[in-house]
Amino acid sequence: LVNRVGLAWCCCRDIFMMSGVSDEDESDNMMCCAACGVAENENIRLKKCNACKSVRYCSVQCQKDHMPQHKRACKKLVADLRDEILFKQPESTRLGDCPICCLPLPIDDDKYIMMACCSKMICNGCNYANRMRELEGNVQQKCPFCRHPRAKSQKEAERDLMKRAEANDPVSMSQMGVRCYQEGDYKGAFGYLTKAAGLGDAVAHFQLSCMYYDGKGVQKDKKKEVYHVEEAAIRGHPKARHNLGVIEKENGRNNRAVKHWI
C-alpha cells in the first residue's frame, strides 16, 4: 500500500489520419468554420474552440450548434493534451539552478539556502565559498547573489521576506503562506499561496493541493486538489508527482500511477 506524501510545511494534437488528405489540405480545412463551412476571409475571422483549440467557428451561434457533435472529441483531445504536458519530463526540479554556479539545485532541503533579501536559492557550495571569502578578507557579510547585507536577526530576515512578498515575489509569498498556516491563520495562508500559485510557484500549488485534501482553511475539494497537485508536478515537484501516483492507484489506474512514480 502506497501512501501519499503528507503536508510538509518547509522551506496529439488533433491528428487527421484520413487517407488522401495532405498536410496542406488539412491546414486549409482548419481555416473553415466547423459548423457551416464558411472560409476565413477579410470580413470573417474564425475563432478557435476555447477548450481544444483544434476547430474554428465563425460565430458563437455556430459554436453552440456544433457543440453536440464536437463535445466528445473535444473532451478527449483536451485530456490527451493535458497528459502530454503532465507526463513530459521537466527540464529541472521545482528549484531550478543555483543562480551563481548555474548547477541544478538538489532536492534535499539541507543542501541549499534561501536568501530572504532576494528569495534566491543558493547551493551550499556557493554559500560556503562566499562565507570563506568574507572571513578571509574580514569583510561585511552579504548575500552571495544580490550583495545585500545579511540580516543580523530573525526579525530583520522576516522584514526582508515581507518586502519581497509585497513586491509579488512568488517564493516569498509561498513562504509567508507557510508561516501563516503554522500560526493557524488559514485565511492568510490561502491568500498568499493562491497568489504565489497564480505566478507559477510549484511549492504553492503543492501546499494548496494538501489544503484541499485535508480541508484545513478550505472545504475539501477533490477536483481542486488534483488540479493543484498536477500543476506542481508539471513544474518538477517530486512530492506532488508521488501524490499523483497515489491518486491514480486509488482510482485503479495502475499504469498511470507507475508512470508518475518512475
Side-chain angles (χ1 to χ4, degrees):
L1 180 63
V2 183
N3 297 320
R4 69 177 67 212
V5 177
L7 203 58
W9 291 110
C10 59
C11 250
C12 340
R13 301 288 178 182
D14 193 12
I15 303 175
F16 290 83
M17 302 302 293
M18 297 171 60
S19 59
V21 179
S22 64
D23 292 340
E24 291 77 13
D25 293 335
E26 179 180 314
S27 178
D28 291 339
N29 289 336
M30 296 299 289
M31 297 304 291
C32 296
C33 176
C36 65
V38 65
E40 185 175 53
N41 54 51
E42 295 180 357
N43 299 321
I44 301 176
R45 294 298 179 184
L46 303 180
K47 294 184 178 180
K48 292 181 180 180
C49 170
N50 294 331
C52 68
K53 312 293 184 183
S54 65
V55 295
R56 300 170 186 263
Y57 299 100
C58 64
S59 65
V60 175
Q61 188 59 47
C62 277
Q63 186 172 7
K64 290 181 178 180
D65 294 341
H66 190 249
M67 184 52 63
Q69 304 173 46
H70 177 60
K71 186 175 182 179
R72 184 174 180 181
C74 183
K75 290 180 68 176
K76 184 180 184 303
L77 183 57
V78 169
D80 290 343
L81 290 172
R82 182 67 173 176
D83 281 353
E84 182 181 338
I85 298 172
L86 185 60
F87 288 106
K88 182 180 179 181
Q89 183 70 26
E91 295 181 359
S92 63
T93 68
R94 61 180 177 82
L95 299 170
D97 300 335
C98 172
I100 297 178
C101 65
C102 298
L103 293 175
L105 287 166
I107 61 175
D108 188 345
D109 294 333
D110 294 330
K111 295 185 178 180
Y112 66 89
I113 182 173
M114 191 195 88
M115 309 307 298
C117 50
C118 58
S119 300
K120 295 298 183 182
M121 308 292 183
I122 310 297
C123 71
N124 283 358
C126 290
N127 184 50
Y128 175 78
N130 180 66
R131 186 76 182 100
M132 291 301 297
R133 179 188 63 82
E134 292 170 342
L135 290 173
E136 292 173 358
N138 194 25
V139 296
Q140 182 183 15
Q141 295 184 26
K142 294 183 179 181
C143 170
F145 180 77
C146 70
R147 313 311 298 169
H148 185 278
R150 293 209 187 197
K152 297 180 181 180
S153 64
Q154 183 64 27
K155 189 175 182 179
E156 285 187 15
E158 291 176 357
R159 182 196 61 195
D160 291 339
L161 189 65
M162 178 60 74
K163 285 183 178 180
R164 294 299 303 166
E166 290 174 352
N168 290 330
D169 179 79
V171 176
S172 298
M173 287 192 289
S174 180
Q175 293 299 314
M176 290 300 299
V178 168
R179 185 161 300 172
C180 289
Y181 185 91
Q182 292 174 331
E183 294 173 354
D185 181 10
Y186 299 129
K187 183 178 180 181
F190 181 76
Y192 278 118
L193 293 173
T194 300
K195 288 181 181 179
L199 293 172
D201 186 74
V203 175
H205 276 295
F206 176 70
Q207 308 292 30
L208 283 172
S209 73
C210 294
M211 288 184 72
Y212 280 115
Y213 173 74
D214 293 329
K216 291 185 177 180
V218 294
Q219 290 185 346
K220 289 188 176 183
D221 191 315
K222 190 66 177 179
K223 287 185 178 180
K224 290 182 179 180
E225 175 205 344
V226 172
Y227 167 76
H228 284 293
V229 77
E230 285 183 350
E231 289 297 314
I234 289 170
R235 288 164 173 77
H237 199 292
K239 292 180 180 178
R241 183 67 67 179
H242 168 82
N243 283 1
L244 268 180
V246 175
I247 292 172
E248 296 292 1
K249 182 75 169 63
E250 291 173 348
N251 292 331
R253 296 192 285 261
N254 295 336
N255 290 337
R256 292 174 64 89
V258 170
K259 282 185 179 181
H260 288 302
W261 290 332
I262 290 178

